[in-house]
Amino acid sequence: MKFPAWVPAILAGLLLLLGSVFVVSEGQAAIVLNLGKVVRTDIGPGLHFKLPLIESARVFDRRLQVLSAEPERYLTSEKKDVSVDFFAIGKIENVRDFYRATGGDESIAAQRLAPIIKDALRNEINARTLQEVVSGDRAKVLAAQLVSINKGAAVLGVKIFDFRIKRSD
């Protein structure tokens, strides 16, 4: 069966059109890479266009995410051993920094963010007695460390809004 000359041209045009369109949903942000180099960032929700075969789009979730960690052992100021389990709530604040620091991999971001939070928590617990660590005022104690955590997290393009101790033994 022989097709008219315009059929392959229409099919090629349709494929190019489909390869040049991408959608960003609500709660997401995207970046456009031109042969691996970031050319456009913080693209909001909607229908967007890119050059087919040359540019690629990466879409990231900008909603709040929860990072939970395994229990860690810390020493209080009285040299008592405490096992602390925590979680942090944050989101991607700067998509370009996030992509450059992690390659767009959320598990790498979690691996790099956990030591920042653990160090801040260690500093706070080492300066407190056991009674102060398990008291009801620990939310105020942890809020003081949130500023230093966000300085480290800013390198990853992430902002931590809150972190809490789940359990301390």
Side-chain angles (χ1 to χ4, degrees):
M1 173 173 225
K2 201 155 203 196
F3 293 108
W6 55 269
V7 172
I10 289 179
L11 287 176
L14 185 62
L15 287 175
L16 283 175
L17 178 66
L18 291 176
S20 66
V21 174
F22 67 99
V23 177
V24 180
S25 299
E26 191 70 32
Q28 295 179 331
I31 60 172
V32 174
L33 305 168
N34 185 337
L35 300 174
K37 181 181 174 188
V38 178
V39 290
R40 289 184 281 160
T41 62
D42 290 329
I43 299 170
L47 181 66
H48 302 279
F49 296 93
K50 62 182 179 62
L51 296 174
L53 304 173
I54 296 172
E55 292 183 337
S56 61
R58 296 281 311 265
V59 179
F60 301 102
D61 192 0
R62 291 191 73 176
R63 295 177 294 180
L64 292 176
Q65 304 286 323
V66 176
L67 167 71
S68 59
E70 296 295 318
E72 288 276 325
R73 300 198 78 70
Y74 301 103
L75 289 175
T76 63
S77 63
E78 342 169 278
K79 305 296 183 216
K80 292 188 178 178
D81 193 26
V82 176
S83 175
V84 177
D85 192 9
F86 72 91
F87 69 94
I89 300 172
K91 71 174 191 167
I92 298 172
E93 192 75 13
N94 187 324
V95 179
R96 177 181 291 227
D97 290 344
F98 179 78
Y99 181 77
R100 285 187 175 164
T102 64
D105 191 353
E106 291 180 6
S107 63
I108 291 174
Q111 289 172 356
R112 291 186 181 169
L113 197 55
I116 295 169
I117 296 171
K118 288 177 184 177
D119 287 343
L121 192 58
R122 179 177 295 112
N123 292 339
E124 199 61 42
I125 290 175
N126 288 345
R128 308 272 179 206
T129 64
L130 182 61
Q131 180 65 29
E132 291 171 333
V133 169
V134 297
S135 73
D137 262 353
R138 59 184 171 184
K140 185 170 61 173
V141 170
L142 296 176
Q145 291 298 318
L146 200 55
V147 174
S148 66
I149 289 171
N150 276 323
K151 284 181 184 175
V155 174
L156 299 173
V158 175
K159 182 174 182 181
I160 302 297
F161 292 100
D162 195 14
F163 81 103
R164 300 292 170 126
I165 294 175
K166 287 195 279 188
R167 185 184 71 210
S168 56
D169 294 330

